[in-house]
Amino acid sequence: MFELLFSLSSIGILVWLLMIVLPTWRVTRLLAELKIFPIYLSILYIVGIITVILKNGFGFMQYFSSAAGVIRLLSEPNFALLVWIHLLCFDLFVGHSIYRENLEYRYIPLPLQSIILFLTLMFGPLGLLTYVVLRNASNRKRT
């Protein structure tokens, strides 16, 4: 079941490609505005986490309090796949936010936006931090 959820989550790469390669295309803008893919990934995650809870209860939450506990959880293949979907969902939501804000205010040029979106896709927080730093630098130049 979790491998199916993982496979179904792979379609999220489409919106990343659109935001990176075709950022001004009408379809890309519409998909980003509607947030269809983050919502889709959220639904997949919810199906997975409900399955975990129904099967095992809330006992897994006890492992969140230590590094060893988190490692133990992530060593469980089904839980690791579920965490992956969680990461995909949040990284895509951040990517959408960067994309939409920059298209509206043009803090950075579109080619640089594409690089930052790639960084966000591959390294989440690195892409977000890069965007925030460049956006703030751009704001200082404008004032």
Side-chain angles (χ1 to χ4, degrees):
M1 154 109 163
F2 292 91
E3 288 182 22
L4 174 62
L5 292 175
F6 174 81
S7 295
L8 292 172
S9 71
S10 299
I11 194 168
I13 195 68
L14 292 176
V15 75
W16 279 110
L17 289 173
L18 290 174
M19 290 190 306
I20 291 168
V21 178
L22 298 169
T24 59
W25 189 32
R26 184 175 52 95
V27 173
T28 307
R29 287 177 183 244
L30 178 64
L31 290 173
E33 185 65 34
L34 296 175
K35 298 180 187 97
I36 291 170
F37 284 94
I39 291 168
Y40 169 74
L41 292 173
S42 295
I43 292 168
L44 294 179
Y45 176 79
I46 289 167
V47 168
I49 198 67
I50 288 173
T51 301
V52 166
I53 292 168
L54 290 175
K55 183 178 178 185
N56 304 315
F58 288 97
F60 67 92
M61 293 176 68
Q62 69 184 331
Y63 298 108
F64 292 155
S65 62
S66 71
V70 171
I71 291 167
R72 181 175 174 193
L73 276 176
L74 292 175
S75 68
E76 159 59 42
N78 290 336
F79 203 85
L81 291 175
L82 189 56
V83 169
W84 179 250
I85 295 169
H86 182 277
L87 291 170
L88 290 174
C89 180
F90 276 91
D91 284 353
L92 185 54
F93 183 79
V94 169
H96 270 77
S97 298
I98 291 168
Y99 170 84
R100 291 173 60 224
E101 183 179 88
N102 193 57
L103 279 186
E104 183 174 348
Y105 297 106
R106 297 296 168 116
Y107 294 118
I108 57 174
L110 290 180
L112 185 53
Q113 172 186 289
S114 292
I115 292 168
I116 290 172
L117 288 173
F118 178 77
L119 289 174
T120 306
L121 167 63
M122 298 307 294
F123 309 108
L126 175 62
L128 174 61
L129 182 60
T130 302
Y131 176 71
V132 168
V133 167
L134 293 175
R135 179 190 67 194
N136 289 346
S138 174
N139 274 340
R140 275 185 240 142
K141 287 180 185 177
R142 292 179 185 193
T143 56

